[in-house]
Amino acid sequence: MTEILHNLAGRTVIVGSGLAGLMTALTLAPKPSVIVTRAALGTETSSAWAQGGIAASMGADDSAALHLADTLLAGDGLCDPTVAAGIVVEAPAAIAALEQAGVGFDRNAAGELSFGLEAAHSRRRIVHAEGDGSGAAIIAALVRAVQQTPAISVLEGFEARRILMDGEKVAGLLCAAANGAAILPTSKVVLATGGIGGLYEATTNPMGNFGQGIALAARAGADLTDMEFVQFHPTALDSRRRPLALVSEAVRGEGALLVNERGERFMARIPGAELAPRDVVARAISAEIARGGKVFLDARDALGSRFAARFPVISALCGEASINPAKDLIPVRPAVHYHMGGVATDANGRSSVPGLWVAGEAASTGLHGANRLASNSLLEAAVMGMRAARDIASMPANNPGTLLAEKLPAPADASLVRPIVSRHLGVLRNAGAIEGAIAALLPLAEGEGPAADPAIVALLIAVSASLRMESRGAHARTDFPLKLGAADRCRMRLSEALEIARAPYVLARSA
């Protein structure tokens, strides 16, 4: 039995309750909206796990121009400079909006914002809250604000399964709820569903995040961009914990060093050393591990007994693994942390599908390019959530279109996809591995089983990776180690990806 929630008809529906989703709803108020979240509000979100904070050029020695230059350099030739400039210049406004919503950022004795330093930033510009508990503190404050805002309805335990269309326009959202299927009639959907880390065995993201927003948008016919660019955080805590705990880049910003099992500081010979861009550090660590070595973060001299006070969350996570960072080396390894690709949007979060906006990690705005600069993710989530809300608020009210009943798909399960993606689409790639991924993923993506949606997202990554015959940013190919002179973003729809994926096998059958 499918229930149509007529009492909520016509409201903007926001899928996801991380930073992007919460900021969209709060900015839209007093216009009514509905937040759909499969778990409790604000939980199971990558935003709540963010440690470093938000990049914002608000220091006396800083400027938006310097922040932009660092962003473009890290993005390795694939950022959209206009979009990036617009987002970084809005950082002070985003910080002010978050403070107004109840977020308490860390300040020094003089009452000024306290700034942290992270890799590839030329200035200390990371605004943080509760030390390394920034994400949790920000989300907790925004959840309180949402709960106190009458215009926002929250549907917990609702999982979005399909966007319902009326021709080429959004007409509603089909969800799974405790009592069966439920339909929200709406002409305005905002996807703020987070990243794709759950497609990999080694990730710092919630394991349930496999790119649901991308799958929803792809099935609705939206354009996808830069799907091949998956950022591996260089320093996840190497332990039995799943998902892996993150050891923030801010630890290296405070002077911690990377050493191998021989005690060699292998990053010393690389420009930027420990604070080189993430893709550079991740590849260097992967190379050490590939030769059979081990890698550690050494914070003993840099922080010593101050570690627990500066990084209480990381200290506790290390304690779980019987490691005392003040005295012990911290074992680390790369793990999937962020996806630069996603649903293609304009500067206001609009996708190519009328009535569909995307904000946060599920989107690809052009800010991050081939490799995200540290702490630009929370900045983008806040700014783009606010922009999407303002864009929606400026549109005339219209009624949802004709709803055509659709069968509720099976709940997604990434377990069949995870080993394929982990083996073939890791830090280092090559044609054979990518083709192996495509061959294994295609039948799953074309099927109707629980693996279909995760396989669609993974297939989009694999097909885009097959087309980028160079190494750039987070996309490193051992068979194409050099970077091409000109860079182009890869934009495609699901139908095109399926056509490309089928092509070699169609030719093989006809031969």
Side-chain angles (χ1 to χ4, degrees), residues 52-73:
I54 300 177
S57 53
M58 298 171 69
D61 64 342
D62 206 356
S63 68
L66 284 172
H67 188 178
L68 176 62
D70 292 344
T71 298
L72 298 181
L73 187 63

Side-chain angles (χ1 to χ4, degrees), residues 287-343:
E288 292 291 320
I289 293 171
R291 66 161 179 79
K294 293 186 177 181
V295 174
F296 303 89
L297 199 55
D298 186 354
R300 295 173 299 181
D301 290 340
L303 287 158
S305 60
R306 294 186 297 113
F307 193 102
R310 174 64 180 89
F311 300 107
V313 174
I314 299 171
S315 182
L317 290 168
C318 287
E320 281 182 12
S322 301
I323 296 162
N324 179 358
K327 299 178 180 178
D328 303 327
L329 295 174
I330 305 169
V332 293
R333 59 173 289 190
V336 171
H337 185 58
Y338 193 85
H339 187 211
M340 278 72 70
V343 184

Side-chain angles (χ1 to χ4, degrees), residues 213-270:
I214 293 171
L216 288 166
R219 287 186 180 277
D223 290 350
L224 296 310
T225 308
D226 297 342
M227 288 294 294
E228 68 271 36
F229 293 108
V230 179
Q231 184 176 80
F232 291 78
H233 197 289
T235 54
L237 180 63
D238 193 2
S239 71
R240 295 179 181 176
R241 197 179 200 271
R242 291 295 181 273
L244 293 173
L246 180 68
V247 181
S248 171
E249 211 156 66
V251 176
R252 281 174 280 140
E254 296 296 333
L257 303 176
L258 285 164
V259 296
N260 60 23
E261 79 284 1
R262 297 191 288 257
E264 298 166 342
R265 190 183 161 206
F266 57 91
M267 289 301 299
R269 59 183 180 271
I270 296 173

